[in-house]
Amino acid sequence: VLMSRALRISQLDAAVLDEQLLDVFKSQLTRCLSLLGDGTLTSLLPELNSILRLVVWLLSVWKYDATLGQQMLNVRYAKCKLSDTSSSEVSFIGLSRWQKIAYGTVFVLGKYLRDKAVGLEMIGQYFRDQNWVRTVTRWIENGWKLASLINFLAFLQQGRYQTLIERLFGLSTIVTQKQQIRQLSFEFMNRELLWHSFAEVTFFLLPLVNLRKLRNSINHVFDFRASNPPPPSYRQCGICEHPPTTPYQSNCGHIFCYYCIKVSSV
């Protein structure tokens, strides 16, 4: 069957989804077993994580030839052979049993040994000279990292075998459904850009505006009573309620007798 190879971004997204899903499962398992106590949980954590990885492997790669993240992105593992070097179409067959078992062994047992810290350094305690064991362990670790880096650079160029394990076991990633052209809409992005541009212009111009002067100008235009005060009434004093004697106008515009306002202010 001819199918297209998965995009690089799809393979990278699938790997990220696998890690995040495992973290979610581990956190839920840790929360459920929190009643066992810190010491008991710490001692059983590598075994529990291995059991969790085994269940995930059985329900993903062993059953569907795809990890959980690959199933969400409609991609899967397959043993592929290029039908044409100039074409993206590949001829593939399903994973063999030994490929699944080899992948599961590395996925479960390899992670268990790393979590349990069972390696050359632990074995070296049975030897008198442990320096050469640490040296060999360091060289193996650095060599694996270097090989992984070279493999990732090759993956970026060729688009196949994202990890070194996939290259060693011949696990290529293909799409399960025909890829369609993505329809991108920039309406939301344009709206966000306009809003941010408007906000930046507003924040730049706002400190340059004299708000107090602007407010006074508006009050002066719309406050007709302040601009055109009514003529004062001289008929009676606001205190004695008689015709004012020696009228005196206060700041508020009212008329009082000069003696009344003086007596009241004392």
Side-chain angles (χ1 to χ4, degrees):
V1 181
L2 294 179
M3 291 294 293
S4 300
R5 289 179 298 182
L7 299 176
R8 296 174 179 83
I9 186 63
S10 299
Q11 300 182 50
L12 294 174
D13 289 343
V16 173
L17 287 174
D18 290 332
E19 295 179 0
Q20 292 179 350
L21 288 173
L22 281 176
D23 292 339
V24 171
F25 294 153
K26 289 179 182 178
S27 62
Q28 295 296 329
L29 181 62
T30 304
R31 184 179 302 176
C32 294
L33 299 178
S34 59
L35 298 178
L36 296 179
D38 296 338
T40 306
L41 180 61
T42 303
S43 61
L44 295 178
L45 193 57
E47 287 76 11
L48 295 176
N49 290 335
S50 299
I51 295 175
L52 180 61
R53 288 180 176 274
L54 178 62
V55 174
V56 171
W57 171 73
L58 290 175
L59 297 178
S60 57
V61 177
W62 179 260
K63 189 174 182 180
Y64 299 107
D65 292 350
T67 63
L68 297 179
Q70 291 177 345
Q71 295 178 32
M72 298 174 64
L73 298 177
N74 294 325
V75 296
R76 51 166 290 191
Y77 282 134
K79 185 178 181 180
C80 304
K81 295 182 180 180
L82 285 175
S83 59
D84 187 1
T85 56
S86 62
S87 175
S88 61
E89 299 291 332
V90 293
S91 176
F92 77 95
I93 58 177
L95 296 181
S96 61
R97 185 178 296 270
W98 78 266
Q99 286 179 314
K100 296 180 181 180
I101 295 176
Y103 179 86
T105 302
V106 175
F107 182 72
V108 179
L109 185 60
K111 300 295 184 180
Y112 172 75
L113 293 179
R114 188 183 65 178
D115 295 341
K116 199 67 176 178
V118 177
L120 295 178
E121 293 186 358
M122 296 294 296
I123 299 176
Q125 64 184 355
Y126 298 101
F127 297 91
R128 295 181 179 180
D129 188 7
Q130 300 181 7
N131 293 328
W132 70 273
V133 177
R134 295 191 181 94
T135 303
V136 172
T137 304
R138 191 180 302 110
W139 275 98
I140 293 176
E141 183 179 0
N142 294 335
W144 181 266
K145 292 180 179 179
L146 180 61
S148 300
L149 176 61
I150 296 174
N151 176 80
F152 186 74
L153 295 177
F155 162 74
L156 294 179
Q157 181 181 8
Q158 301 174 0
R160 294 186 299 164
Y161 307 123
Q162 175 192 354
T163 62
L164 191 59
I165 300 300
E166 295 178 359
R167 185 175 295 275
L168 293 176
F169 298 150
L171 304 178
S172 299
T173 306
I174 62 173
V175 295
T176 57
Q177 298 178 0
K178 186 177 180 180
Q179 302 184 32
Q180 299 179 356
I181 300 177
R182 298 180 179 180
Q183 300 293 335
L184 300 179
S185 177
F186 298 97
E187 180 180 357
F188 177 77
M189 185 180 298
N190 293 335
R191 185 165 60 249
E192 288 295 322
L193 290 175
L194 289 175
W195 170 252
H196 285 293
S197 300
F198 175 75
E200 291 179 358
V201 172
T202 304
F203 294 151
F204 174 76
L205 295 178
L206 193 60
L208 304 178
V209 178
N210 192 339
L211 297 180
R212 179 177 298 178
K213 184 176 180 180
L214 180 62
R215 184 173 61 252
N216 294 335
S217 300
I218 295 175
N219 294 334
H220 179 73
V221 171
F222 292 98
D223 192 357
F224 298 101
R225 295 186 60 184
S227 59
N228 298 315
S233 176
Y234 296 94
R235 295 183 178 180
Q236 62 180 4
C237 175
I239 298 177
C240 64
E241 298 182 354
H242 293 286
T245 303
T246 313
Y248 178 81
Q249 184 179 6
S250 62
N251 295 331
C252 61
H254 294 86
I255 301 300
F256 303 95
C257 297
Y258 177 78
Y259 298 102
C260 293
I261 192 65
K262 284 297 183 179
V263 172
S264 300
S265 61
V266 174

